[in-house]
Amino acid sequence: MRVIRINSIVTGGNTYYFGENGARYTNKFYGNWGHKYYFDASGVLVKNREIKVDGIAYIANAEGVLSEKKR
């Protein structure tokens, strides 16, 4: 038997990520390929906007890659 794991799904223009246990990432950071991403309360990858998590401001670009906002 062959098992295929799909960790992310794009639907309706929104990207969602699922961990190894199948649970959707919500209010959680994800790191991969040397980049940091954030999934909001709905589990949607944050893109093209500023967010504040634990008192730290971030800017998400069009791909969802986060960078700390400079003061």
Side-chain angles (χ1 to χ4, degrees):
M1 175 198 250
R2 189 171 148 196
V3 176
I4 298 173
R5 287 198 169 103
I6 299 173
N7 291 76
S8 65
I9 294 175
V10 178
T11 182
N14 293 321
T15 302
Y16 301 86
Y17 185 82
F18 298 85
E20 291 296 318
N21 63 357
R24 181 176 52 173
Y25 273 37
T26 55
N27 295 318
K28 194 170 188 177
F29 287 102
Y30 172 73
N32 206 345
W33 308 290
H35 299 293
K36 187 184 236 182
Y37 305 87
Y38 189 78
F39 293 86
D40 67 15
S42 298
V44 176
L45 175 65
V46 174
K47 297 180 186 177
N48 293 317
R49 64 184 171 109
E50 293 181 20
I51 60 169
K52 190 177 246 186
V53 180
D54 297 328
I56 300 171
Y58 297 91
I59 300 172
N61 70 12
E63 288 79 38
V65 176
L66 294 177
S67 58
E68 270 192 54
K69 184 177 178 184
K70 304 292 182 204
R71 295 181 186 198

